[in-house]
Amino acid sequence: MRYLSTLDSEQKTLSIRLIIALIMFFIALSLNFNDAVLFLSFFIPYLLVGYDVLFYAFQNILHGQWLDERFLMSIASIGAFALKDYAEAFAVMFFYQLGELFQSIAIGKSRKSIEELLSLAPETATRLINGAEEIIKPEDIHVGDTIIVKPGERVPIDGIVIKGSTSLNTSDITGESAPKDVAKGDIVYSGSINLSGSILLKAQSEYENSTIAKIMNLIENSAGKKSKSEKYITRFARYYTPFVVVSAILLSTIPPLVLNEAFLKWFERALVFLVASCPCALLISIPLSFVKGLGTASKHGILMKGASELEKLSEIDTFIFDKTGTLTEGSFTVSDVHSDNVDKDSILEISAIAESQSTHPIAASLKEAYSKEPDISRLGGIAEHAGKGIQATVDNNEYFIGNTALMELVNADYKECSFPDTIVHMSKGNDYMGHIVISDRIKYKASSTINKLKEKKIKRIIMLSGDRKPVVDATSKAIGIDEYYAELLPTDKVEITERIMQDGNKVAFVGDGINDAPVLTRADVGIAMGTLGSDIAIEAADIVLMDDNLLKLPLALDITRKTMSIVKQNTAFSLVFKALVLLLGAFGQVEMWLAVFADVGVMILAVLNSLRTGNIKTPIQ
Ligand code: ADP
Ligand code: MG
């Protein structure tokens, strides 16, 4: 029952159909009915498991696409009924549907996570005009509007609290599960959920520029570009089914004509041939290998969203890494403050106040560097410029804190720093104040991870970063990555990744999720490092590493490659064996029961082989 509660309604219905049909099947087997009743006693459970398969097969024929595995299942099982081999007819359909159920459970997870993501959008907002409440669409909110957010509602727009206090669930936006208390003067982000009191907000952005709208747009657009992955068996059936059907037709027509033998004899052989052709071993063992592979991965803290993601990772030949927080710890320490005219303490103080609401790794370190508790009541509005830095009002003055691109944006006359570290520049309006020198640490498993990936025949490894060139250069040399691109905006990262994919490479992108959800969705395989990343990144990714251990990447490669090689072994083994049985069947050398027996034998061997997917030994310490 606990198993049933994790399924969606379609999967539940199919499970229940399979269980009831199986019970009816065993009753039919154990009772000795006479002919017509015997037929019905198998035909009813058969219809119960297979009516939709029959229906779709029929529908596909009408649409001219009749050569798929549903067609094969239908014709093989109907053929078995014609030969009065009722149990076999039922088994064919039952095993096929069981395989479908396995697959759908494995694949369903990825679909569900995208749907959940799209439900983050608030549908309405309540605006206060001259003391009267008005329900509007979030799209109709203007900057400066007063918006009421009641308990249980989703915050429709980014804004500042002007009245009331409450606690918010921001986990959909930040990944932080602890509720966040807000009061007058605090900033709230659209997409968070109001947990307790009513608050009044002053809108700080139009809806299309709000946090939630940006996130949704990026993910929706990039997700739409991803080609739909085809199911493995469907692809296989594209070649197998036409081959089997054409052979069966030839078998029932050519020999009677050429050898001048009875048509019925060869027609019966053709049906045995069709029944024997049912690739039961594949139908069971392929989904099982995938489920086993996915299970092994998750046991090691590697969450893959489905079978097609697993298959894609096994084919990857290029890895693209984000730098900050992915290859480096993302915990910077302030090593120096350079300024000509402002004292160091007030630079650190203002940056700590300005960064108090940001989730960027740099923000965390700036808060840390200021030894006292920053007085956030001095903070007015803030705006983050992704890949550049932050803009914040402190004591009614506008400050800009970030990289040189941000300084150029506001025309501040900044000074370059000769230190090979990350530099956080700061200006008041366009008045340059100085910069903070911070340095990050490379994760100690980074270079061994890169070595392992190279050993595993990954032909290209690339690092992308929004950081300055000297830092990125030094990091890449220390880790052993030969190719890097620096000073990038999040959109540049998407562009470079797309270009590399267009060159025919199969690309995995690994990121911590801060600013890189769009690339995660765009890459062939997006891999998010769990603990630092936001929920959004985890939703956007195909594969999530639950902790920061980079060595899980080569391990994930091993698991997916082993799974795929077992899938291929099983396919080859079953096909060779099938070919043998089919050949003998065609010449009348195989009775129906032998064909079934052989099928079960191959299936058991293939399933045992699938179970080997779990035996993987790779050190990840
Ligand atoms: P990466 O690509 O290395 O992960 P990001 O794209 O997150 O880096 O950021 C790129 C650069 O933008 C950072 O190196 C930093 O200079 C600047 N930046 C981004 N966010 C902030 C912030 N909150 N405060 C200061 N600087 C920031
Ligand atoms: Mg980053």
Side-chain angles (χ1 to χ4, degrees):
M1 280 306 117
R2 228 177 74 216
Y3 156 81
L4 277 181
S5 67
T6 63
L7 302 181
D8 69 25
S9 64
E10 215 171 290
Q11 292 164 344
K12 257 183 222 165
T13 321
L14 184 54
S15 309
I16 292 168
R17 275 165 60 194
L18 287 173
I19 294 167
I20 296 176
L22 194 64
I23 295 169
M24 290 167 76
F25 170 75
F26 280 119
I27 294 174
L29 271 186
S30 62
L31 297 176
N32 252 337
F33 291 119
N34 65 18
D35 249 17
V37 181
L38 184 68
F39 168 76
L40 277 182
S41 70
F42 284 100
F43 194 65
I44 292 169
Y46 166 79
L47 278 186
L48 181 62
V49 279
Y51 68 86
D52 45 352
V53 176
L54 294 167
F55 177 74
Y56 284 123
F58 183 67
Q59 221 177 25
N60 278 348
I61 295 171
L62 294 184
H63 290 122
Q65 324 162 301
W66 47 282
L67 294 184
D68 72 347
E69 85 270 19
R70 292 199 189 99
F71 175 76
L72 184 60
M73 291 310 115
S74 305
I75 197 161
S77 54
I78 292 170
F81 272 116
L83 292 177
K84 297 209 158 103
D85 211 318
Y86 303 147
E88 169 74 0
F90 173 84
V92 165
M93 202 50 100
F94 181 83
F95 284 135
Y96 173 71
Q97 288 285 55
L98 196 63
E100 286 293 286
L101 180 65
F102 275 152
Q103 273 230 326
S104 127
I105 291 171
I107 292 167
K109 281 195 181 126
S110 67
R111 220 178 306 124
K112 218 179 278 168
S113 59
I114 294 207
E115 278 163 21
E116 268 162 25
L117 197 66
L118 296 180
S119 72
L120 289 183
E123 275 159 21
T124 59
T126 312
R127 180 162 61 188
L128 201 62
I129 286 193
N130 302 328
E133 289 184 14
E134 180 191 23
I135 307 278
I136 55 172
K137 287 195 181 139
E139 288 87 342
D140 296 333
I141 298 176
H142 298 298
V143 176
D145 279 355
T146 305
I147 304 293
I148 310 176
V149 188
K150 296 174 184 164
E153 286 181 352
R154 216 175 255 281
V155 177
I157 198 85
D158 299 347
I160 292 189
V161 180
I162 51 177
K163 199 175 163 194
S165 65
T166 186
S167 62
L168 297 174
N169 174 352
T170 63
S171 64
D172 287 338
I173 312 297
T174 62
E176 175 63 50
S177 56
K180 188 178 156 197
D181 293 328
V182 293
K184 194 174 166 193
D186 287 340
I187 291 166
V188 299
Y189 293 110
S190 48
S192 16
I193 298 169
N194 186 357
L195 295 176
S196 43
S198 251
I199 46 171
L200 283 190
L201 295 183
K202 191 168 171 187
Q204 283 212 304
S205 67
E206 306 281 333
Y207 181 71
E208 71 232 38
N209 297 322
S210 68
T211 309
I212 190 71
K214 276 188 197 150
I215 291 167
M216 305 260 304
N217 269 340
L218 286 170
I219 289 171
E220 244 174 315
N221 289 341
S222 2
K225 277 193 188 171
K226 220 170 202 176
S227 70
K228 281 197 198 96
S229 62
E230 274 182 291
K231 289 191 201 167
Y232 192 84
I233 292 177
T234 311
R235 241 183 307 164
F236 157 77
R238 211 157 49 205
Y239 302 100
Y240 185 73
T241 316
F243 167 77
V244 165
V245 172
V246 169
S247 307
I249 292 172
L250 293 179
L251 196 63
S252 64
T253 51
I254 303 285
L257 291 178
V258 176
L259 304 174
N260 203 14
E261 286 187 341
F263 171 73
L264 213 62
K265 170 179 160 194
W266 285 94
F267 180 70
E268 213 175 300
R269 282 188 187 177
L271 276 182
V272 173
F273 181 85
L274 269 185
V275 170
S277 76
C278 169
C280 282
L282 291 181
L283 295 181
I284 286 274
S285 75
I286 291 176
L288 189 70
S289 306
F290 279 120
V291 169
K292 191 76 191 158
L294 295 172
T296 308
S298 71
K299 218 166 56 197
H300 287 102
I302 303 162
L303 292 188
M304 304 190 184
K305 286 193 178 158
S308 61
E309 283 78 6
L310 184 152
E311 184 181 2
K312 277 193 216 141
L313 182 61
S314 75
E315 293 163 352
I316 289 301
D317 56 25
T318 302
F319 266 84
I320 302 183
F321 286 92
D322 179 46
K323 180 182 76 80
T324 312
T326 306
L327 290 171
T328 67
E329 298 283 355
S331 62
F332 296 84
T333 44
V334 172
S335 53
D336 228 327
V337 180
H338 297 163
S339 175
D340 294 337
N341 45 18
V342 188
D343 78 282
K344 294 180 180 182
D345 256 4
S346 57
I347 285 198
L348 287 176
E349 181 177 12
I350 289 167
S351 69
I353 295 171
E355 297 274 12
S356 59
Q357 310 297 319
S358 169
T359 53
H360 199 277
I362 289 182
S365 45
L366 292 180
K367 280 178 261 179
E368 185 114 322
Y370 180 61
S371 46
K372 283 172 264 172
E373 189 60 32
D375 177 8
I376 16 183
S377 68
R378 291 163 60 191
L379 180 67
I382 56 162
E384 289 217 33
H385 298 262
K388 290 182 183 162
I390 201 164
Q391 166 184 2
T393 313
V394 180
D395 304 332
N396 295 320
N397 293 312
E398 194 77 351
Y399 291 94
F400 295 87
I401 301 168
N403 54 19
T404 53
L406 186 69
M407 294 297 104
E408 274 156 20
L409 188 75
V410 296
N411 275 323
D413 192 11
Y414 64 90
K415 280 207 180 74
E416 285 285 3
C417 184
S418 57
F419 287 35
D421 296 292
T422 301
I423 306 297
V424 181
H425 295 276
M426 188 161 163
S427 75
K428 182 174 175 181
N430 60 5
D431 239 358
Y432 188 62
M433 297 169 69
H435 52 249
I436 306 170
V437 183
I438 57 180
S439 46
D440 197 357
R441 259 195 337 233
I442 291 168
K443 285 187 188 163
Y444 81 99
K445 284 167 189 157
S447 64
S448 58
T449 299
I450 301 301
N451 280 337
K452 280 222 161 74
L453 291 179
K454 286 179 182 164
E455 274 167 29
K456 294 187 191 304
K457 309 259 180 314
I458 295 298
K459 62 172 196 222
R460 216 169 149 190
I461 300 176
I462 301 160
M463 178 159 78
L464 303 184
S465 178
D467 209 346
R468 315 162 63 204
K469 197 166 171 206
V471 189
V472 183
D473 186 65
T475 313
S476 75
K477 289 211 171 79
I479 298 178
I481 295 181
D482 322 309
E483 193 179 351
Y484 67 79
Y485 300 85
E487 292 168 32
L488 303 174
L489 294 178
T491 47
D492 300 331
K493 294 184 187 176
V494 176
E495 245 168 62
I496 292 175
T497 305
E498 278 179 347
R499 213 168 58 219
I500 291 166
M501 286 164 70
Q502 272 155 19
D503 293 343
N505 299 299
K506 295 244 183 297
V507 174
F509 179 87
V510 190
D512 67 341
I514 311 279
N515 291 343
D516 49 25
V519 213
L520 283 174
T521 5
R522 188 61 197 106
D524 291 312
V525 177
I527 305 178
M529 312 278 293
T531 46
L532 287 176
S534 62
D535 266 10
I536 293 298
I538 291 171
E539 299 288 357
D542 300 302
I543 295 174
V544 176
L545 305 187
M546 296 308 281
D547 61 20
D548 266 6
N549 191 343
L550 285 165
L551 283 171
K552 288 193 173 161
L553 294 170
L555 175 65
L557 266 189
D558 279 350
I559 293 172
T560 59
R561 287 178 179 176
K562 179 150 188 192
T563 305
M564 290 317 295
S565 93
I566 285 177
V567 164
K568 281 171 191 153
Q569 283 166 21
N570 281 350
T571 310
F573 171 62
S574 331
L575 284 187
V576 168
F577 203 85
K578 271 274 120 105
L580 210 76
V581 176
L582 286 179
L583 208 65
L584 292 174
F587 291 104
Q589 300 301 308
V590 177
E591 311 257 333
M592 178 73 76
W593 70 268
L594 199 62
V596 177
F597 186 75
D599 203 53
V600 173
V602 177
M603 189 174 82
I604 289 173
L605 286 178
V607 165
L608 287 178
N609 195 26
S610 298
L611 296 180
R612 291 196 309 123
T613 313
N615 307 333
I616 296 246
K617 288 180 195 73
T618 307
I620 49 171
Q621 296 312 312

